[in-house]
Amino acid sequence: MAQILSPQLASEPHLVATWQSRLLRSMLKNRSLAIGLLIITSLCMVALLAPWLAPHDPYLQNTANRMVPPVWHDNGSWTHPLGTDRLGRDYLSRLIFGTRISLFIGIVVALISGLIGTTLGVLAGYFGGRVDAVVSYLLTTRLAMPVVLVALAMASLIGGSMLTVTLLLGLLLWDRFAVVARSATLQLRDAEYVQAARALGCPLPYILLREVLPNIAGALIVVATLEVANAILLEATLSFLGMGVQPPSPSWGLMIAEGKAYMFFQPWVIAIPGSALFILVLAINLLGDGLRDMTTSGGRHE
């Protein structure tokens, strides 16, 4: 994939504006990208404005109002549009603040795992030989370890918390980044511009950061979107099993776990956070599919 902005575009503002307008049109033509970006942008705004959007304190308990049904039920009330949980906490407020936790963990995990995997993959693809053999061994070792089981074991030893889950998942989900970065770097290490940089005596960090990395960034961005969705689902799984985000934090996985005892009588306690989790992961996957289509077709869509 070509670098995002050439020197000519960077030096001529009217060319930059033309490039931006073409990019915007291609994004709007890609329905998956447009829908995913719209949903994710809306959820990010909800997360940022959570203190002002939430009608109640998400941690405030009121056992007198426990298990109030949503407003569409007969006994529902607009005071609590999505009802309350077993401790009388407002479900809508907890759902809004839970968006922060899911997005934070997903993004930070993708950054940590992306940094580790991209570094290993680029080094393995560029140098080859023994470096490639060592990285391949580490990759094989990582793939032999089930993520959920390892995360559960480590969380049980260290103690579950949002920080623990974020670090564990970040240290376990780097394999896709490494595979993609390695294969892409193998194709680019003998490219003319990389050879020209070597001939000019450019230092190795310059070659890797300025010549190789920008040209594999498109593929890595697509992997990052998939890993964000994967991290959010794994966080919800660990929280559901009691080894992730701990009470009283309003994690969506924890909300599902707290409502499982009432699923046959008040199914909305599971359906609401489950639907929110489904929508978020679906939007991230749509965004990833759209970015993949744009990078593979150069932004052209019929």
mmCIF file of all heavy atoms in Angstrom, residues 86 91 101-102 105 148 152 155 160-161 165 169 231-247 249-263 269-271 273-274 277:
data_model
loop_
_atom_site.group_PDB
_atom_site.id
_atom_site.type_symbol
_atom_site.label_atom_id
_atom_site.label_comp_id
_atom_site.label_asym_id
_atom_site.label_seq_id
_atom_site.Cartn_x
_atom_site.Cartn_y
_atom_site.Cartn_z
ATOM 1 N N ARG A 86 -30.388 -6.049 40.207
ATOM 2 C CA ARG A 86 -30.775 -6.680 41.475
ATOM 3 C C ARG A 86 -30.441 -5.822 42.693
ATOM 4 O O ARG A 86 -30.929 -6.088 43.794
ATOM 5 C CB ARG A 86 -30.084 -8.033 41.611
ATOM 6 C CG ARG A 86 -28.564 -7.967 41.600
ATOM 7 C CD ARG A 86 -27.938 -9.351 41.469
ATOM 8 N NE ARG A 86 -26.482 -9.272 41.439
ATOM 9 C CZ ARG A 86 -25.717 -9.335 42.506
ATOM 10 N NH1 ARG A 86 -26.261 -9.473 43.712
ATOM 11 N NH2 ARG A 86 -24.404 -9.260 42.406
ATOM 12 N N TYR A 91 -30.059 0.709 34.995
ATOM 13 C CA TYR A 91 -29.431 -0.113 33.960
ATOM 14 C C TYR A 91 -28.903 0.732 32.803
ATOM 15 O O TYR A 91 -27.854 0.431 32.233
ATOM 16 C CB TYR A 91 -30.441 -1.151 33.451
ATOM 17 C CG TYR A 91 -29.887 -2.549 33.428
ATOM 18 C CD1 TYR A 91 -29.244 -3.074 34.542
ATOM 19 C CD2 TYR A 91 -30.016 -3.355 32.302
ATOM 20 C CE1 TYR A 91 -28.729 -4.361 34.538
ATOM 21 C CE2 TYR A 91 -29.510 -4.640 32.282
ATOM 22 C CZ TYR A 91 -28.866 -5.137 33.402
ATOM 23 O OH TYR A 91 -28.348 -6.404 33.391
ATOM 24 N N ILE A 101 -15.610 1.203 29.479
ATOM 25 C CA ILE A 101 -14.744 0.078 29.831
ATOM 26 C C ILE A 101 -14.440 -0.771 28.606
ATOM 27 O O ILE A 101 -13.286 -1.133 28.349
ATOM 28 C CB ILE A 101 -15.405 -0.760 30.939
ATOM 29 C CG1 ILE A 101 -15.512 0.063 32.227
ATOM 30 C CG2 ILE A 101 -14.625 -2.049 31.186
ATOM 31 C CD1 ILE A 101 -16.219 -0.637 33.355
ATOM 32 N N SER A 102 -15.471 -1.100 27.834
ATOM 33 C CA SER A 102 -15.267 -1.958 26.668
ATOM 34 C C SER A 102 -14.359 -1.303 25.641
ATOM 35 O O SER A 102 -13.420 -1.931 25.129
ATOM 36 C CB SER A 102 -16.621 -2.302 26.042
ATOM 37 O OG SER A 102 -17.403 -3.092 26.909
ATOM 38 N N ILE A 105 -10.628 -0.965 27.061
ATOM 39 C CA ILE A 105 -9.885 -2.231 27.051
ATOM 40 C C ILE A 105 -9.583 -2.663 25.628
ATOM 41 O O ILE A 105 -8.460 -3.083 25.308
ATOM 42 C CB ILE A 105 -10.675 -3.314 27.805
ATOM 43 C CG1 ILE A 105 -10.712 -2.973 29.304
ATOM 44 C CG2 ILE A 105 -10.068 -4.698 27.577
ATOM 45 C CD1 ILE A 105 -11.500 -3.959 30.138
ATOM 46 N N VAL A 148 -7.992 -17.886 26.362
ATOM 47 C CA VAL A 148 -8.926 -17.820 27.493
ATOM 48 C C VAL A 148 -8.394 -18.584 28.689
ATOM 49 O O VAL A 148 -8.440 -18.100 29.831
ATOM 50 C CB VAL A 148 -10.309 -18.346 27.071
ATOM 51 C CG1 VAL A 148 -11.248 -18.370 28.261
ATOM 52 C CG2 VAL A 148 -10.901 -17.487 25.960
ATOM 53 N N LEU A 152 -7.389 -16.889 32.168
ATOM 54 C CA LEU A 152 -8.073 -17.315 33.396
ATOM 55 C C LEU A 152 -7.073 -17.746 34.461
ATOM 56 O O LEU A 152 -7.213 -17.394 35.643
ATOM 57 C CB LEU A 152 -9.040 -18.455 33.087
ATOM 58 C CG LEU A 152 -10.391 -18.085 32.494
ATOM 59 C CD1 LEU A 152 -11.161 -19.352 32.105
ATOM 60 C CD2 LEU A 152 -11.208 -17.264 33.478
ATOM 61 N N ALA A 155 -5.162 -14.630 35.700
ATOM 62 C CA ALA A 155 -6.038 -13.748 36.472
ATOM 63 C C ALA A 155 -6.357 -14.343 37.832
ATOM 64 O O ALA A 155 -6.493 -13.610 38.826
ATOM 65 C CB ALA A 155 -7.322 -13.474 35.697
ATOM 66 N N GLY A 160 -8.270 -10.667 39.474
ATOM 67 C CA GLY A 160 -8.935 -10.000 38.366
ATOM 68 C C GLY A 160 -9.125 -8.513 38.608
ATOM 69 O O GLY A 160 -9.481 -8.090 39.709
ATOM 70 N N SER A 161 -8.880 -7.718 37.579
ATOM 71 C CA SER A 161 -9.124 -6.287 37.612
ATOM 72 C C SER A 161 -9.048 -5.789 36.171
ATOM 73 O O SER A 161 -8.619 -6.512 35.267
ATOM 74 C CB SER A 161 -8.101 -5.536 38.474
ATOM 75 O OG SER A 161 -6.817 -5.600 37.887
ATOM 76 N N VAL A 165 -6.683 -7.529 33.256
ATOM 77 C CA VAL A 165 -7.255 -8.037 32.006
ATOM 78 C C VAL A 165 -6.614 -7.341 30.801
ATOM 79 O O VAL A 165 -6.272 -7.989 29.810
ATOM 80 C CB VAL A 165 -8.781 -7.833 32.003
ATOM 81 C CG1 VAL A 165 -9.361 -8.134 30.627
ATOM 82 C CG2 VAL A 165 -9.425 -8.730 33.035
ATOM 83 N N LEU A 169 -4.397 -9.567 28.115
ATOM 84 C CA LEU A 169 -4.845 -9.679 26.726
ATOM 85 C C LEU A 169 -3.858 -9.000 25.775
ATOM 86 O O LEU A 169 -3.624 -9.485 24.663
ATOM 87 C CB LEU A 169 -6.246 -9.077 26.571
ATOM 88 C CG LEU A 169 -7.366 -9.802 27.318
ATOM 89 C CD1 LEU A 169 -8.703 -9.104 27.079
ATOM 90 C CD2 LEU A 169 -7.454 -11.271 26.897
ATOM 91 N N ALA A 231 -10.683 -8.471 21.689
ATOM 92 C CA ALA A 231 -10.375 -8.119 23.075
ATOM 93 C C ALA A 231 -11.638 -7.787 23.865
ATOM 94 O O ALA A 231 -11.758 -8.153 25.046
ATOM 95 C CB ALA A 231 -9.413 -6.931 23.097
ATOM 96 N N ILE A 232 -12.588 -7.116 23.230
ATOM 97 C CA ILE A 232 -13.839 -6.772 23.920
ATOM 98 C C ILE A 232 -14.603 -8.036 24.287
ATOM 99 O O ILE A 232 -15.144 -8.167 25.399
ATOM 100 C CB ILE A 232 -14.683 -5.839 23.034
ATOM 101 C CG1 ILE A 232 -14.017 -4.468 22.934
ATOM 102 C CG2 ILE A 232 -16.099 -5.693 23.587
ATOM 103 C CD1 ILE A 232 -14.679 -3.542 21.942
ATOM 104 N N LEU A 233 -14.668 -8.988 23.369
ATOM 105 C CA LEU A 233 -15.358 -10.252 23.652
ATOM 106 C C LEU A 233 -14.636 -11.042 24.747
ATOM 107 O O LEU A 233 -15.291 -11.627 25.628
ATOM 108 C CB LEU A 233 -15.453 -11.087 22.382
ATOM 109 C CG LEU A 233 -16.471 -10.623 21.338
ATOM 110 C CD1 LEU A 233 -16.393 -11.504 20.094
ATOM 111 C CD2 LEU A 233 -17.889 -10.664 21.909
ATOM 112 N N LEU A 234 -13.311 -11.070 24.711
ATOM 113 C CA LEU A 234 -12.564 -11.800 25.737
ATOM 114 C C LEU A 234 -12.710 -11.138 27.102
ATOM 115 O O LEU A 234 -12.811 -11.829 28.125
ATOM 116 C CB LEU A 234 -11.088 -11.880 25.337
ATOM 117 C CG LEU A 234 -10.766 -12.825 24.177
ATOM 118 C CD1 LEU A 234 -9.316 -12.677 23.757
ATOM 119 C CD2 LEU A 234 -11.066 -14.275 24.568
ATOM 120 N N GLU A 235 -12.729 -9.805 27.125
ATOM 121 C CA GLU A 235 -12.952 -9.114 28.403
ATOM 122 C C GLU A 235 -14.321 -9.455 28.972
ATOM 123 O O GLU A 235 -14.466 -9.700 30.172
ATOM 124 C CB GLU A 235 -12.822 -7.609 28.196
ATOM 125 C CG GLU A 235 -13.083 -6.772 29.436
ATOM 126 C CD GLU A 235 -14.559 -6.447 29.654
ATOM 127 O OE1 GLU A 235 -15.250 -6.189 28.658
ATOM 128 O OE2 GLU A 235 -15.011 -6.485 30.815
ATOM 129 N N ALA A 236 -15.331 -9.472 28.106
ATOM 130 C CA ALA A 236 -16.673 -9.822 28.564
ATOM 131 C C ALA A 236 -16.714 -11.261 29.071
ATOM 132 O O ALA A 236 -17.380 -11.559 30.073
ATOM 133 C CB ALA A 236 -17.678 -9.634 27.428
ATOM 134 N N THR A 237 -15.988 -12.152 28.396
ATOM 135 C CA THR A 237 -15.937 -13.555 28.832
ATOM 136 C C THR A 237 -15.295 -13.682 30.202
ATOM 137 O O THR A 237 -15.812 -14.371 31.091
ATOM 138 C CB THR A 237 -15.157 -14.393 27.808
ATOM 139 O OG1 THR A 237 -15.787 -14.299 26.534
ATOM 140 C CG2 THR A 237 -15.101 -15.849 28.231
ATOM 141 N N LEU A 238 -14.149 -13.024 30.387
ATOM 142 C CA LEU A 238 -13.454 -13.099 31.670
ATOM 143 C C LEU A 238 -14.272 -12.450 32.777
ATOM 144 O O LEU A 238 -14.318 -12.950 33.909
ATOM 145 C CB LEU A 238 -12.079 -12.429 31.555
ATOM 146 C CG LEU A 238 -11.073 -13.125 30.629
ATOM 147 C CD1 LEU A 238 -9.808 -12.282 30.506
ATOM 148 C CD2 LEU A 238 -10.728 -14.513 31.151
ATOM 149 N N SER A 239 -14.917 -11.334 32.477
ATOM 150 C CA SER A 239 -15.759 -10.679 33.483
ATOM 151 C C SER A 239 -16.960 -11.545 33.835
ATOM 152 O O SER A 239 -17.375 -11.610 35.004
ATOM 153 C CB SER A 239 -16.224 -9.311 32.965
ATOM 154 O OG SER A 239 -15.125 -8.460 32.736
ATOM 155 N N PHE A 240 -17.516 -12.226 32.838
ATOM 156 C CA PHE A 240 -18.639 -13.124 33.095
ATOM 157 C C PHE A 240 -18.225 -14.267 34.025
ATOM 158 O O PHE A 240 -19.001 -14.708 34.882
ATOM 159 C CB PHE A 240 -19.161 -13.689 31.775
ATOM 160 C CG PHE A 240 -20.300 -14.645 31.920
ATOM 161 C CD1 PHE A 240 -21.605 -14.189 32.065
ATOM 162 C CD2 PHE A 240 -20.094 -16.012 31.921
ATOM 163 C CE1 PHE A 240 -22.663 -15.069 32.215
ATOM 164 C CE2 PHE A 240 -21.136 -16.902 32.068
ATOM 165 C CZ PHE A 240 -22.429 -16.429 32.209
ATOM 166 N N LEU A 241 -16.981 -14.738 33.864
ATOM 167 C CA LEU A 241 -16.478 -15.840 34.691
ATOM 168 C C LEU A 241 -15.928 -15.366 36.030
ATOM 169 O O LEU A 241 -15.455 -16.180 36.822
ATOM 170 C CB LEU A 241 -15.398 -16.605 33.933
ATOM 171 C CG LEU A 241 -15.866 -17.305 32.649
ATOM 172 C CD1 LEU A 241 -14.689 -17.911 31.919
ATOM 173 C CD2 LEU A 241 -16.905 -18.377 32.966
ATOM 174 N N GLY A 242 -15.959 -14.053 36.274
ATOM 175 C CA GLY A 242 -15.507 -13.518 37.556
ATOM 176 C C GLY A 242 -14.028 -13.236 37.643
ATOM 177 O O GLY A 242 -13.518 -12.931 38.722
ATOM 178 N N MET A 243 -13.299 -13.334 36.527
ATOM 179 C CA MET A 243 -11.854 -13.111 36.525
ATOM 180 C C MET A 243 -11.458 -11.850 35.769
ATOM 181 O O MET A 243 -10.284 -11.635 35.505
ATOM 182 C CB MET A 243 -11.129 -14.318 35.902
ATOM 183 C CG MET A 243 -11.279 -15.588 36.692
ATOM 184 S SD MET A 243 -10.543 -15.435 38.334
ATOM 185 C CE MET A 243 -11.029 -17.013 39.038
ATOM 186 N N GLY A 244 -12.440 -11.049 35.400
ATOM 187 C CA GLY A 244 -12.142 -9.842 34.656
ATOM 188 C C GLY A 244 -12.379 -8.598 35.490
ATOM 189 O O GLY A 244 -11.904 -8.502 36.627
ATOM 190 N N VAL A 245 -13.109 -7.653 34.929
ATOM 191 C CA VAL A 245 -13.455 -6.431 35.657
ATOM 192 C C VAL A 245 -14.316 -6.794 36.858
ATOM 193 O O VAL A 245 -15.268 -7.571 36.749
ATOM 194 C CB VAL A 245 -14.197 -5.452 34.725
ATOM 195 C CG1 VAL A 245 -14.593 -4.194 35.466
ATOM 196 C CG2 VAL A 245 -13.326 -5.115 33.523
ATOM 197 N N GLN A 246 -13.979 -6.249 38.013
ATOM 198 C CA GLN A 246 -14.635 -6.624 39.252
ATOM 199 C C GLN A 246 -15.748 -5.641 39.629
ATOM 200 O O GLN A 246 -15.722 -4.468 39.238
ATOM 201 C CB GLN A 246 -13.608 -6.680 40.389
ATOM 202 C CG GLN A 246 -12.511 -7.713 40.161
ATOM 203 C CD GLN A 246 -13.048 -9.123 40.082
ATOM 204 O OE1 GLN A 246 -13.729 -9.594 40.983
ATOM 205 N NE2 GLN A 246 -12.753 -9.808 38.976
ATOM 206 N N PRO A 247 -16.771 -6.135 40.362
ATOM 207 C CA PRO A 247 -17.832 -5.247 40.855
ATOM 208 C C PRO A 247 -17.225 -4.152 41.724
ATOM 209 O O PRO A 247 -16.189 -4.363 42.369
ATOM 210 C CB PRO A 247 -18.718 -6.189 41.670
ATOM 211 C CG PRO A 247 -18.381 -7.569 41.185
ATOM 212 C CD PRO A 247 -16.948 -7.525 40.771
ATOM 213 N N SER A 249 -17.839 -2.133 39.082
ATOM 214 C CA SER A 249 -17.637 -1.522 37.769
ATOM 215 C C SER A 249 -18.691 -2.019 36.782
ATOM 216 O O SER A 249 -19.004 -3.218 36.752
ATOM 217 C CB SER A 249 -16.239 -1.858 37.241
ATOM 218 O OG SER A 249 -15.242 -1.342 38.087
ATOM 219 N N PRO A 250 -19.238 -1.144 35.949
ATOM 220 C CA PRO A 250 -20.335 -1.525 35.053
ATOM 221 C C PRO A 250 -19.850 -2.151 33.750
ATOM 222 O O PRO A 250 -20.124 -1.655 32.652
ATOM 223 C CB PRO A 250 -21.048 -0.193 34.800
ATOM 224 C CG PRO A 250 -19.965 0.828 34.891
ATOM 225 C CD PRO A 250 -18.997 0.320 35.926
ATOM 226 N N SER A 251 -19.110 -3.252 33.838
ATOM 227 C CA SER A 251 -18.696 -3.966 32.634
ATOM 228 C C SER A 251 -19.892 -4.719 32.061
ATOM 229 O O SER A 251 -20.702 -5.286 32.795
ATOM 230 C CB SER A 251 -17.572 -4.951 32.968
ATOM 231 O OG SER A 251 -17.394 -5.897 31.940
ATOM 232 N N TRP A 252 -20.001 -4.743 30.731
ATOM 233 C CA TRP A 252 -21.123 -5.438 30.104
ATOM 234 C C TRP A 252 -21.081 -6.934 30.391
ATOM 235 O O TRP A 252 -22.115 -7.558 30.615
ATOM 236 C CB TRP A 252 -21.101 -5.183 28.595
ATOM 237 C CG TRP A 252 -21.445 -3.778 28.245
ATOM 238 C CD1 TRP A 252 -21.962 -2.825 29.080
ATOM 239 C CD2 TRP A 252 -21.295 -3.137 26.972
ATOM 240 N NE1 TRP A 252 -22.147 -1.640 28.413
ATOM 241 C CE2 TRP A 252 -21.743 -1.798 27.117
ATOM 242 C CE3 TRP A 252 -20.822 -3.555 25.739
ATOM 243 C CZ2 TRP A 252 -21.734 -0.890 26.054
ATOM 244 C CZ3 TRP A 252 -20.811 -2.651 24.674
ATOM 245 C CH2 TRP A 252 -21.264 -1.341 24.834
ATOM 246 N N GLY A 253 -19.899 -7.534 30.382
ATOM 247 C CA GLY A 253 -19.793 -8.946 30.724
ATOM 248 C C GLY A 253 -20.195 -9.209 32.158
ATOM 249 O O GLY A 253 -20.853 -10.209 32.465
ATOM 250 N N LEU A 254 -19.825 -8.303 33.053
ATOM 251 C CA LEU A 254 -20.210 -8.441 34.456
ATOM 252 C C LEU A 254 -21.709 -8.255 34.633
ATOM 253 O O LEU A 254 -22.344 -8.938 35.454
ATOM 254 C CB LEU A 254 -19.440 -7.415 35.295
ATOM 255 C CG LEU A 254 -19.617 -7.497 36.814
ATOM 256 C CD1 LEU A 254 -19.184 -8.855 37.329
ATOM 257 C CD2 LEU A 254 -18.819 -6.387 37.492
ATOM 258 N N MET A 255 -22.322 -7.351 33.861
ATOM 259 C CA MET A 255 -23.774 -7.166 33.922
ATOM 260 C C MET A 255 -24.499 -8.435 33.480
ATOM 261 O O MET A 255 -25.516 -8.818 34.070
ATOM 262 C CB MET A 255 -24.176 -5.982 33.049
ATOM 263 C CG MET A 255 -23.720 -4.633 33.566
ATOM 264 S SD MET A 255 -24.013 -3.275 32.400
ATOM 265 C CE MET A 255 -25.811 -3.213 32.407
ATOM 266 N N ILE A 256 -23.971 -9.109 32.463
ATOM 267 C CA ILE A 256 -24.575 -10.376 32.028
ATOM 268 C C ILE A 256 -24.429 -11.425 33.116
ATOM 269 O O ILE A 256 -25.366 -12.194 33.388
ATOM 270 C CB ILE A 256 -23.925 -10.842 30.715
ATOM 271 C CG1 ILE A 256 -24.227 -9.846 29.591
ATOM 272 C CG2 ILE A 256 -24.419 -12.229 30.327
ATOM 273 C CD1 ILE A 256 -23.510 -10.155 28.292
ATOM 274 N N ALA A 257 -23.261 -11.474 33.753
ATOM 275 C CA ALA A 257 -23.038 -12.451 34.818
ATOM 276 C C ALA A 257 -23.966 -12.203 36.002
ATOM 277 O O ALA A 257 -24.516 -13.142 36.593
ATOM 278 C CB ALA A 257 -21.582 -12.402 35.270
ATOM 279 N N GLU A 258 -24.156 -10.931 36.365
ATOM 280 C CA GLU A 258 -25.023 -10.608 37.497
ATOM 281 C C GLU A 258 -26.490 -10.908 37.199
ATOM 282 O O GLU A 258 -27.275 -11.141 38.110
ATOM 283 C CB GLU A 258 -24.851 -9.140 37.868
ATOM 284 C CG GLU A 258 -23.490 -8.810 38.453
ATOM 285 C CD GLU A 258 -23.300 -7.318 38.680
ATOM 286 O OE1 GLU A 258 -24.066 -6.522 38.100
ATOM 287 O OE2 GLU A 258 -22.383 -6.945 39.448
ATOM 288 N N GLY A 259 -26.864 -10.888 35.919
ATOM 289 C CA GLY A 259 -28.260 -11.122 35.567
ATOM 290 C C GLY A 259 -28.596 -12.549 35.195
ATOM 291 O O GLY A 259 -29.756 -12.846 34.900
ATOM 292 N N LYS A 260 -27.604 -13.458 35.195
ATOM 293 C CA LYS A 260 -27.867 -14.830 34.739
ATOM 294 C C LYS A 260 -28.841 -15.565 35.646
ATOM 295 O O LYS A 260 -29.549 -16.468 35.193
ATOM 296 C CB LYS A 260 -26.568 -15.608 34.619
ATOM 297 C CG LYS A 260 -25.834 -15.812 35.941
ATOM 298 C CD LYS A 260 -24.503 -16.518 35.720
ATOM 299 C CE LYS A 260 -23.750 -16.690 37.031
ATOM 300 N NZ LYS A 260 -22.438 -17.354 36.827
ATOM 301 N N ALA A 261 -28.920 -15.193 36.923
ATOM 302 C CA ALA A 261 -29.859 -15.857 37.835
ATOM 303 C C ALA A 261 -31.306 -15.485 37.539
ATOM 304 O O ALA A 261 -32.230 -16.176 37.983
ATOM 305 C CB ALA A 261 -29.513 -15.501 39.280
ATOM 306 N N TYR A 262 -31.516 -14.400 36.775
ATOM 307 C CA TYR A 262 -32.875 -13.927 36.501
ATOM 308 C C TYR A 262 -33.245 -14.086 35.022
ATOM 309 O O TYR A 262 -34.261 -13.552 34.578
ATOM 310 C CB TYR A 262 -33.006 -12.443 36.880
ATOM 311 C CG TYR A 262 -32.575 -12.131 38.290
ATOM 312 C CD1 TYR A 262 -31.269 -11.744 38.573
ATOM 313 C CD2 TYR A 262 -33.470 -12.226 39.353
ATOM 314 C CE1 TYR A 262 -30.863 -11.456 39.864
ATOM 315 C CE2 TYR A 262 -33.076 -11.938 40.645
ATOM 316 C CZ TYR A 262 -31.771 -11.556 40.896
ATOM 317 O OH TYR A 262 -31.378 -11.273 42.178
ATOM 318 N N MET A 263 -32.440 -14.813 34.259
ATOM 319 C CA MET A 263 -32.612 -14.840 32.813
ATOM 320 C C MET A 263 -33.924 -15.478 32.373
ATOM 321 O O MET A 263 -34.449 -15.166 31.309
ATOM 322 C CB MET A 263 -31.434 -15.571 32.161
ATOM 323 C CG MET A 263 -31.279 -17.011 32.583
ATOM 324 S SD MET A 263 -29.833 -17.787 31.808
ATOM 325 C CE MET A 263 -30.271 -17.646 30.086
ATOM 326 N N VAL A 269 -32.452 -8.462 31.579
ATOM 327 C CA VAL A 269 -31.216 -8.162 32.309
ATOM 328 C C VAL A 269 -29.994 -8.703 31.575
ATOM 329 O O VAL A 269 -28.868 -8.207 31.760
ATOM 330 C CB VAL A 269 -31.270 -8.726 33.741
ATOM 331 C CG1 VAL A 269 -32.363 -8.061 34.548
ATOM 332 C CG2 VAL A 269 -31.458 -10.229 33.729
ATOM 333 N N ILE A 270 -30.203 -9.730 30.736
ATOM 334 C CA ILE A 270 -29.122 -10.264 29.916
ATOM 335 C C ILE A 270 -29.218 -9.738 28.482
ATOM 336 O O ILE A 270 -28.197 -9.472 27.838
ATOM 337 C CB ILE A 270 -29.147 -11.803 29.920
ATOM 338 C CG1 ILE A 270 -28.686 -12.321 31.286
ATOM 339 C CG2 ILE A 270 -28.277 -12.381 28.812
ATOM 340 C CD1 ILE A 270 -28.634 -13.820 31.390
ATOM 341 N N ALA A 271 -30.442 -9.585 27.994
ATOM 342 C CA ALA A 271 -30.628 -9.170 26.598
ATOM 343 C C ALA A 271 -30.081 -7.766 26.336
ATOM 344 O O ALA A 271 -29.505 -7.514 25.274
ATOM 345 C CB ALA A 271 -32.115 -9.222 26.243
ATOM 346 N N PRO A 273 -27.480 -5.812 27.962
ATOM 347 C CA PRO A 273 -26.016 -5.724 27.771
ATOM 348 C C PRO A 273 -25.515 -6.644 26.668
ATOM 349 O O PRO A 273 -24.533 -6.312 25.987
ATOM 350 C CB PRO A 273 -25.453 -6.137 29.139
ATOM 351 C CG PRO A 273 -26.543 -6.916 29.787
ATOM 352 C CD PRO A 273 -27.823 -6.335 29.287
ATOM 353 N N GLY A 274 -26.183 -7.782 26.456
ATOM 354 C CA GLY A 274 -25.782 -8.663 25.365
ATOM 355 C C GLY A 274 -25.983 -8.009 24.009
ATOM 356 O O GLY A 274 -25.144 -8.144 23.109
ATOM 357 N N LEU A 277 -23.265 -5.382 23.492
ATOM 358 C CA LEU A 277 -22.004 -6.035 23.137
ATOM 359 C C LEU A 277 -22.020 -6.490 21.681
ATOM 360 O O LEU A 277 -21.039 -6.326 20.945
ATOM 361 C CB LEU A 277 -21.778 -7.220 24.075
ATOM 362 C CG LEU A 277 -20.420 -7.910 24.042
ATOM 363 C CD1 LEU A 277 -19.322 -6.938 24.451
ATOM 364 C CD2 LEU A 277 -20.430 -9.127 24.951
#
